[in-house]
Every structure is written in structure tokens, then in C-alpha cells.
Amino acid sequence: MTILVASVIAAVSMPMWAWAQSVEVTAPVAPDSQTNPQASPPKAKVPRVNDADAPTTVEAEQMTGRPDRLLNLDNDVDITRGGTNVKSKTGIYRIVENEAEAHGCVKMNRYGDRYTGDDLKLNMDSGQGYLTNPTYWFQANDGHGSAERINFLDEDRSEIVKGNYTTCPGTKPDWYIKSSTLDVDSGLGEGVAHNGILYFKSVPILGSPSMSFPLSNDRQSGVLPPIIGTTNNGGLEFNLPYYFNIAPNRDLTIYPNIISQRGLQMGADARYMGVGYSGQTKVEYLPDDKLYKSDRYAVQSIHTQTLYPGLTMGWNVNFASDNNYPDDFSRSITQSSLRTLNREFDLNYSGSFWSVAALASRYQILQDFNAAGQPTLSRPYDRMPQVTLTAGKQDIFGFDWNVNAQYTRFWNSQYDFPQGTSGMAYTSSTLMPLGGERVYINPQLSYPIIRPGYFITPKIQLDATAYSITPNKFGVANPPTSPVTALPPGVAGPTSLGNDFSRVLPTFSLDAGLIFERDAKFFGNPMTQTLEPRVFYVRTPYHDQSQFPLFDSGASDFNFAQIFTENRYSGHDRISDANQLTTALISRFIEESGVERLRLGIGQRMYFTQPRVALNATDNITTSRSDLLLMAGGQVSSTLGVDNTIQYSQSNNQWVRANSTVKWQPGPKKVINFSYQLDHTNIDPLDPDNRYLKQFDLSAQWPLSKRWYGVGRVSYSLTEKTVGQSLLGLEYKADCWVFRVVGQRTPTSSTRTTTGIFVQLELNGLSSIGSNPMQALRNSVPGYQNINQPDSFISR
């Protein structure tokens, strides 16, 4: 608490307190653009023109004096030059000096900004002058106030003496700045209050020798609104971001975060964009964590760049200091769900019909342990390097051909023999060696026949793959996968394939379908209904791959996209044998505009020969047909969208997997999302109860009254009877400010959760949205809209 109070006092006494504008909702733009397409569009402003040759028009009911020197003006005085217009009861116009005086009920409009006062003196050439007892209103952001005097320095700059400033409507604003002098630069879109005090509900809440604020919707450098909250892992938190608008295509946000139980965490977020390149780098650092007794840090950097036409490069680097970083800092750049951090560099070149990609990739595992102390995460293989060549052309005398070739060197220190790193027993095996090299080439040739009502695509391909593995750090060959015991006399047992082996497999496939259309109606609206039967046959001979390593392969999800592929495995270490036929029937209801109102589908795969290639004993297929796939979804109406998929086992008479989502968005800032997931194949191998996935997720944003809005999310496991990620928040929208309070519960590991409460006060026109808690609201509630932005409704 002492650190927090001291930091607040230090912040208040800063020589420059600047409020940033639109840092979170906008991004840097390319150098050739001076506007941001993501920012709120500014109000139309009278263009500033060169008034040097513009005539000065003087009108009044009565004029006296010398027409070549001075004019005394009485009653309904009106003086206009270019973008400046002055009206008053009486006035004086000096012709030689091109200078005007106005007295009594003075009203001035200068390039869209409006002023009123008692007495005005203004040089129409230089824009210099003054106005006494003024009120003012700025067109760019509805900022307004009053003062004792305004000194006009030129057409853009002015000095407001002993005045106040606010963007709240009315004469009794909820918040305002009161200062001795207030410098305004409409050209730069910035105001600076000297010796200013910020009042909220007539209570002074902040004072500073110098306080700047934006006068437009353009991004501005300065302090973002502070985030105050508390978490169970760190105690009270006070986050004070500072935003630097370096250039239209570059910015930097620095956010010191005081965590009462841990110390001062410093963070930085730099974004940049240029011709042919863009990127973002985030860094967090907490020296000498009081609870962890060590330095804590995390880094994330993403970059893409075009080096030459067709030649690009990029990197994606992520790093954290320790395994517990996501647990202790759930709102950090690593995020609690990202415990496998990738570090990769890629180089790509594209030709007219071919491309080559080089990749170097390594991983950091932020290991998670269950209640029994067992690790729950396995480390993927590093690829150091991987080179991929892809080439292809279409419609060569009716044929399409493609060639995919790849060389990869894999390495995983987790499988050092006989014991893995950090004392964890990950022993090497034939399937999981320490490392190895793999090279393959996969040429494909097809002859697509596509007509308005049908299509037929026969295709043949060949897979040629070779391995050279490093079994363990001793270079000793791994034993066979099955022990040689109790075999009949004369029968040889399985033997290891050694360290070098290969396979060559051809695959033939035939994809065909029909497309029927008819006029129909859906809820009384005219539609086009389609009926699309489709068959897909695949034939691949069997090849024993039981001792081949598993560098990057796994079983693909069984869904409508996967059943129309030749291989039921992802990666390239397993090529499934196949003699199978997939049949499917899909029907769609499509509006004239192209919106798909309803989509119905059913599909199943028939095995003429049961596949023998498997990843493990539980991966075997013992039936003559696959599970049944069913789907139903679409944008049923302009406000309601649904999506349902079911995997049903006819042999076991049960749902294997089900996924249902419903999104109802009847209007702006009104949305309800519901999803249900069932997956009997998703079982934690370390769970003694073998519980499968069965959960629902409910999230919503809804107005509770005229100014109050509620937002929330809850994820609940029906098998474990526990609440997963949850969030509850309230937002209050006044005419010129918004208040938010958000409570969030986030599981950060299998045994730990982080809970926190954060509050934020946003003052329109003075401070804009920071990254927290807005980012949590957007991530938790799909379709969430900022209540402080104009109503908008996204058509789907």
C-alpha cells in the first residue's frame, strides 16, 4: 500500500500529465495514409483556406467614419473574411490594419469553432486578438467551457485565461478541468491545461502542473486511464499506461503495474507498420518478485516483411521466465491458455507456379502439473530446420498437378535416454526418439470434370518418405515395440527396423457430386434450396508403420471436412491404408443476397476393408462403417444464428461428440451466446475417473436499464461439476463518462485459478479506452460492443 500511495503521488506531480486518445481501439496505419480507418470518423470541419487574398465583408445598420481609414458600426454588425465570421451590437473596422473590434453580445465562428463574449479585438490577417468573458465550443470533439479571457495567437493557437474545459453537455458538467491558463492548438488537435485540476461530480480528483488532452478523434500521446483492481495471486494492482503516438505508423505503450504483494512490473507494447513490413513486440519485467524470490519476465515479438518481390520473412518469438508465469500473471502477454510457447523464424519465396519455405522452430513448455504432481504437457518436436517445396499448375490439357516435398530435422530433448530433462521420466522409444531427419515427396495428378450440375474428380498421388532417426543421446538402437516372449518354436518375433527406413505408397481417390436447385420458401421468404449428394472413394494399400516415429502426426478430428480427405491422420508420419467410400447429403436454403439461412447435412464413411494402420491400441477401427455425422446450422434470421454438429455411434447407440452454438443479437449492445460441448474421446489420461468433456458456455451483454449494462460469461463442466472461466461485469454510461467494474475467474492450470476485480472510469474526450478490462470483455463475450461508441449493428 505504501508503494501504491507513493506511486500515485509521484504520478500526480509529474511535469506533464497527458491523456491519450484511442490507443486501444486503433492501430498504426501505413506511412502513406494520414487517417486511421479503424478510428471513429471525425466531425466535418470547415477547411482552412489561404485567406490572404480573401475580401473582408462588413455589414451594419449604420456606418460612420472615413471609408478609407476607419468605420464605426452600429446595430447588427456582421464582419466576415474567409472562415471567420463576427457578429455583435457595435464595432469598429480599421481598413488599413484589417483589424476589427466588436462590442456587446459578440458571437464569432472561426473555422467551425464558436465563441461568445463581451468585447473582441481581432486582426483579420494574422488571426491575433483577444475576447473577454468568453464561452467557447470546439467542433472537433464538442469540447466547451468559459473563461475570463481568450488570447488568439494565430488562426490555430489560442490561450484561455482562468478557464474551464469539458465535453459534458449542459451548464453543470459531471467532469471538467479548471486551470490558470489553457493552451489550445486546433492544428495539432491538442490542449494543455497549466496548473489544472480535474473535477468529477464537483470533487477534485487530480491535479497537475501541466495536463494535456485531445481535441479530436486522432490518436494522441499521453496517459491512459489507470486500471485499479485486485487479484488473489498478487493483491492490489494499479496499472498506469502511457501511450506514445510516435508517428501515424508507429506507437508505443508503456504500462507500469504496481502489484502490492509482488512489486513493480514494467511492460511495453510497440507496434509498427511500413511499406512491406509490420510487427509488434511486447515485453514484461518484474524484478525480484517478493513472493517468487526471483526476476520474472515475458517477451512476445511478431514481425513480417517483404524483402524482395516474392521473397518474405518473419518471426514469432515467445518467451517466459518460468512455468508459473501464466498462473501468477493471468492478464499477461503469455495468457493462461498458451503454455506451449513457439519461437520460429521463416523465409518464403514464391515463383510463378512454385514456392519454397524455410522454417526454424523451437518450443518452450510452461509445464503444468496435476494434483499428484505429474506433468500434463508433452513437448512438441523442434524443427531445425524445415524446408518445404510446393509446385503446381491447373488445367494443363484438363489435368491439375501438384508436388509437395519437404525435408525436416526433428529434435526433442525431452526424450533423452534413459531419462528426460528436469527429472521427468520421458524415455525414448521407437515411436518417440530423441530426433531424426525426414524427407518426403508427394506428387499428385487429377483430372477434374466440372459442369453446372455435377463434378467428378479422379486423382492419383504417390507418397515417398524416408527416415533417419537418432534413437537417444547414446545413439543406441531402440528395442522393438513388442517384447519377444512366449513365441512358438520357429516363429521369429518382431525386430527393430534400425535407424534408417522408408515407405512408398500410392493413393487413388475419386470425388463426385451432384447439385440440384429449386425455388422454395423459408419462414415465408423466397429462397433457393439446393440438394447436394456427394461420394468420395479412397484406395491406399497397407504398409506396416508401427515402428515409424511420431514426429508431428495425430488423429484428425472426424468432421465434414476430414471425411473428404485421403488420410485420416494429420502430419506425415502415418499414411492410413484405405479401401473406403464416403457418402454425404447436404441441403442449403440460400437468399438472393447470398446469405445461407439454413444448412443441413448427413455423412458417413463405409470401410470395405478395415484399416490396419493405427497410432496406438485405442486407435483401431473395428467396424465396417464410421460414426454418423449430422449438421444443422445457418443464419436463421438477421438476429439469430445457430450451428450444430453431432457425431453419433450407431454400434454403441450413443453420441460420441456434439457441439451446439446459438447466437442471438437482436440489436446494438444486445447479444446472448450459448454453446454446449460433448466429447467422449476427450479423456484426460491422468484423470483416475476417466471423465470426458461435457460442458456448456453462456455469455451475454444486455442493457439492464436506460444507462446500466450487464455483461457476463460462465463456463461449467457437467462431469466435474465445476465452474471454469467466468466473468461478471457492470457498466454505467452517463452523457460524458463511463464506469466499469469487472470480476473475472480464470483457470491458469489444472490445479490453480486466478480471480480478480478491476474498475475503470472513462471520461469522454479526456481519456480513452485502455487495454483492460475491455480486452477481457471482448474475449469473453463474442459480439460485445463498447457502450461508449455509437450504436452499430453488424449484419451477418
Side-chain angles (χ1 to χ4, degrees):
M1 182 60 72
T2 303
I3 296 175
L4 174 63
V5 173
S7 301
V8 173
I9 294 175
V12 170
S13 60
M14 290 170 62
M16 172 62 75
W17 185 284
W19 295 97
Q21 175 73 8
S22 299
V23 60
E24 196 272 336
V25 296
T26 64
V29 295
D32 57 349
S33 175
Q34 299 299 317
T35 60
N36 193 334
Q38 297 182 9
S40 301
K43 296 184 178 181
K45 189 172 180 64
V46 177
R48 305 226 169 188
V49 297
N50 186 0
D51 290 347
D53 299 325
T56 301
T57 303
V58 180
E59 298 180 7
E61 288 190 4
Q62 182 176 351
M63 297 183 185
T64 60
R66 296 181 56 181
D68 58 339
R69 291 283 184 179
L70 181 145
L71 295 176
N72 295 309
L73 311 173
D74 293 310
N75 297 330
D76 294 333
V77 176
D78 190 312
I79 304 174
T80 303
R81 184 181 184 185
T84 302
N85 174 258
V86 178
K87 295 181 179 181
S88 64
K89 289 185 177 179
T90 62
I92 299 174
Y93 177 63
R94 297 180 177 86
I95 299 175
V96 177
E97 296 84 357
N98 199 14
E99 184 177 83
E101 291 186 16
H103 306 283
C105 298
V106 177
K107 297 180 181 180
M108 180 174 68
N109 188 317
R110 191 159 80 151
Y111 300 102
D113 298 335
R114 299 198 297 264
Y115 304 84
T116 65
D118 293 340
D119 300 290
L120 170 72
K121 184 176 182 180
L122 185 68
N123 187 285
M124 308 301 285
D125 288 330
S126 64
Q128 296 179 343
Y130 65 85
L131 177 64
T132 61
N133 293 327
T135 65
Y136 57 90
W137 175 85
F138 299 134
Q139 183 187 35
N141 67 338
D142 288 332
H144 60 94
S146 59
E148 288 187 1
R149 177 186 173 104
I150 295 181
N151 296 320
F152 299 106
L153 306 181
D154 54 36
E155 290 183 344
D156 292 325
R157 298 181 300 124
S158 59
E159 179 186 58
I160 301 174
V161 180
K162 293 184 179 180
N164 55 67
Y165 171 83
T166 185
T167 60
C168 295
T171 57
K172 295 182 179 180
D174 288 342
W175 71 264
Y176 60 92
I177 296 175
K178 190 174 183 180
S179 63
S180 58
T181 58
L182 196 153
D183 296 332
V184 174
D185 192 327
S186 56
L188 296 178
E190 183 181 18
V192 179
H194 300 282
N195 299 321
I197 300 177
L198 175 63
Y199 289 82
F200 180 73
K201 293 293 184 178
S202 301
V203 177
I205 62 173
L206 178 66
S208 175
S210 185
M211 185 185 305
S212 70
F213 52 89
L215 297 177
S216 67
N217 290 328
D218 297 333
R219 293 180 290 122
Q220 298 286 340
S221 298
V223 174
L224 292 169
I227 310 296
I228 303 174
T230 180
T231 67
N232 64 325
N233 287 335
L236 187 65
E237 291 192 19
F238 180 78
N239 192 313
L240 189 67
Y242 192 96
Y243 177 71
F244 294 92
N245 183 30
I246 301 173
N249 63 320
R250 302 175 190 272
D251 61 12
L252 172 67
T253 303
I254 296 178
Y255 43 95
N257 185 28
I258 301 171
I259 307 175
S260 61
Q261 297 179 14
R262 297 185 179 275
L264 176 62
Q265 180 189 50
M266 294 297 299
D269 182 0
R271 303 184 297 181
Y272 55 89
M273 179 182 295
V275 178
Y277 69 90
S278 64
Q280 183 174 10
T281 297
K282 299 180 181 180
V283 179
E284 293 175 347
Y285 179 67
L286 173 61
D288 193 19
D289 187 329
K290 296 178 183 178
L291 297 180
Y292 200 77
K293 306 301 181 183
S294 178
D295 295 345
R296 314 288 297 278
Y297 50 87
V299 178
Q300 180 187 84
S301 180
I302 301 173
H303 178 85
T304 59
Q305 185 167 355
T306 300
L307 303 176
Y308 188 78
L311 180 63
T312 62
M313 57 84 70
W315 66 71
N316 183 0
V317 176
N318 300 271
F319 189 83
S321 58
D322 53 84
N323 289 336
N324 295 325
Y325 200 91
D327 300 336
D328 298 336
F329 308 100
S330 60
R331 296 183 299 115
S332 70
I333 60 178
T334 60
Q335 302 180 19
S336 60
S337 60
L338 299 179
R339 306 189 72 94
T340 302
L341 305 183
N342 188 19
R343 308 167 193 169
E344 68 177 32
F345 177 85
D346 63 86
L347 187 66
N348 304 275
Y349 183 78
S350 298
S352 58
F353 65 93
W354 61 277
S355 65
V356 60
L359 172 71
S361 176
R362 301 192 67 179
Y363 293 92
Q364 179 189 8
I365 302 300
L366 306 183
Q367 189 58 260
D368 178 27
F369 300 89
N370 62 8
Q374 297 172 304
T376 63
L377 301 176
S378 180
R379 190 177 189 273
Y381 278 88
D382 298 332
R383 291 168 288 179
M384 301 290 289
Q386 176 176 287
V387 181
T388 305
L389 173 66
T390 303
K393 279 192 173 183
Q394 286 72 45
D395 196 16
I396 305 299
F397 300 104
F399 288 91
D400 294 348
W401 67 268
N402 294 278
V403 175
N404 300 312
Q406 186 182 92
Y407 165 81
T408 310
R409 182 179 182 272
F410 296 97
W411 193 264
N412 193 340
S413 58
Q414 176 175 278
Y415 296 106
D416 279 354
F417 182 83
Q419 193 174 32
T421 58
S422 305
M424 292 180 286
Y426 290 108
T427 58
S428 63
S429 65
T430 301
L431 298 181
M432 296 295 183
L434 177 64
E437 296 175 288
R438 183 187 70 191
V439 59
Y440 72 80
I441 184 170
N442 178 219
Q444 304 176 18
L445 182 67
S446 63
Y447 189 83
I449 303 172
I450 302 175
R451 300 294 183 265
Y454 68 92
F455 66 90
I456 302 174
T457 305
K459 182 169 73 171
I460 187 170
Q461 57 181 306
L462 185 71
D463 173 79
T465 306
Y467 291 88
S468 177
I469 67 170
T470 303
N472 46 66
K473 63 182 179 182
F474 302 112
V476 178
N478 285 310
T481 55
S482 302
V484 184
T485 59
L487 292 175
V491 177
T495 58
S496 175
L497 295 180
N499 297 340
D500 300 296
F501 40 92
S502 61
R503 68 163 180 251
V504 177
L505 280 174
T507 297
F508 170 77
S509 66
L510 178 66
D511 192 3
L514 301 172
I515 303 174
F516 301 100
E517 294 184 358
R518 70 163 188 164
D519 294 333
K521 288 191 175 182
F522 185 73
F523 290 113
N525 298 319
M527 300 278 171
T528 297
Q529 182 187 7
T530 69
L531 187 65
E532 306 169 35
R534 183 178 179 183
V535 295
F536 183 66
Y537 175 76
V538 180
R539 182 71 175 97
T540 304
Y542 170 74
H543 185 96
D544 183 11
Q545 304 163 56
S546 59
Q547 296 189 51
F548 283 32
L550 290 173
F551 290 134
D552 61 0
S553 285
S556 299
D557 283 343
F558 188 66
N559 51 45
F560 272 92
Q562 191 276 329
I563 62 175
F564 292 103
T565 59
E566 289 82 2
N567 191 13
R568 64 189 182 102
Y569 297 111
S570 62
H572 208 81
D573 295 318
R574 291 292 184 273
I575 303 297
S576 176
D577 57 314
N579 183 13
Q580 62 196 31
L581 178 68
T582 299
T583 59
L585 182 64
I586 298 175
S587 181
R588 313 172 196 266
F589 287 82
I590 305 174
E591 277 187 353
E592 184 179 358
S593 62
V595 176
E596 189 177 75
R597 290 300 180 192
L598 183 63
R599 177 182 63 258
L600 302 172
I602 182 172
Q604 192 171 42
R605 179 181 289 163
M606 308 295 179
Y607 301 106
F608 301 118
T609 303
Q610 292 180 353
R612 299 166 60 188
V613 176
L615 294 173
N616 48 54
T618 62
D619 187 46
N620 289 321
I621 296 176
T622 59
T623 60
S624 61
R625 57 185 177 180
S626 72
D627 294 337
L628 194 65
L629 285 178
L630 304 168
M631 72 171 176
Q635 192 64 40
V636 179
S637 68
S638 60
T639 61
L640 180 64
V642 298
D643 192 7
N644 301 275
T645 57
I646 296 173
Q647 180 181 340
Y648 178 75
S649 174
Q650 294 172 291
S651 58
N652 297 328
N653 194 25
Q654 73 168 7
W655 289 9
V656 178
R657 301 173 68 183
N659 193 336
S660 299
T661 61
V662 178
K663 183 175 183 178
W664 184 45
Q665 194 169 11
K669 303 176 180 68
K670 293 181 180 179
V671 62
I672 297 177
N673 306 285
F674 176 81
S675 67
Y676 171 80
Q677 286 182 293
L678 169 70
D679 191 350
H680 283 275
T681 65
N682 190 342
I683 299 177
D684 186 355
L686 301 178
D687 185 358
D689 297 328
N690 291 326
R691 289 171 292 192
Y692 55 87
L693 177 65
K694 186 179 181 182
Q695 67 181 28
F696 72 82
D697 193 294
L698 177 65
S699 62
Q701 178 191 22
W702 205 262
L704 305 178
S705 64
K706 183 179 180 180
R707 296 187 179 274
W708 284 97
Y709 293 80
V711 60
R713 177 193 177 185
V714 60
S715 179
Y716 184 78
S717 173
L718 298 171
T719 55
E720 300 178 0
K721 298 186 179 349
T722 57
V723 176
Q725 186 172 2
S726 58
L727 178 144
L728 182 64
L730 282 175
E731 298 179 284
Y732 179 81
K733 183 183 185 305
D735 292 331
C736 58
W737 57 274
V738 172
F739 173 77
R740 297 182 179 90
V741 56
V742 176
Q744 188 176 17
R745 180 183 186 272
T746 305
T748 55
S749 68
S750 58
T751 58
R752 299 181 62 184
T753 60
T754 296
T755 57
I757 299 177
F758 299 92
V759 297
Q760 185 181 53
L761 176 66
E762 177 185 354
L763 306 178
N764 296 356
L766 184 63
S767 63
S768 188
I769 300 300
S771 59
N772 298 309
M774 288 299 299
Q775 193 62 40
L777 296 178
R778 290 194 178 97
N779 292 341
S780 299
V781 184
Y784 170 85
Q785 293 180 325
N786 184 1
I787 66 171
N788 206 24
Q789 297 295 327
D791 287 346
S792 62
F793 187 70
I794 302 174
S795 175
R796 293 168 300 279

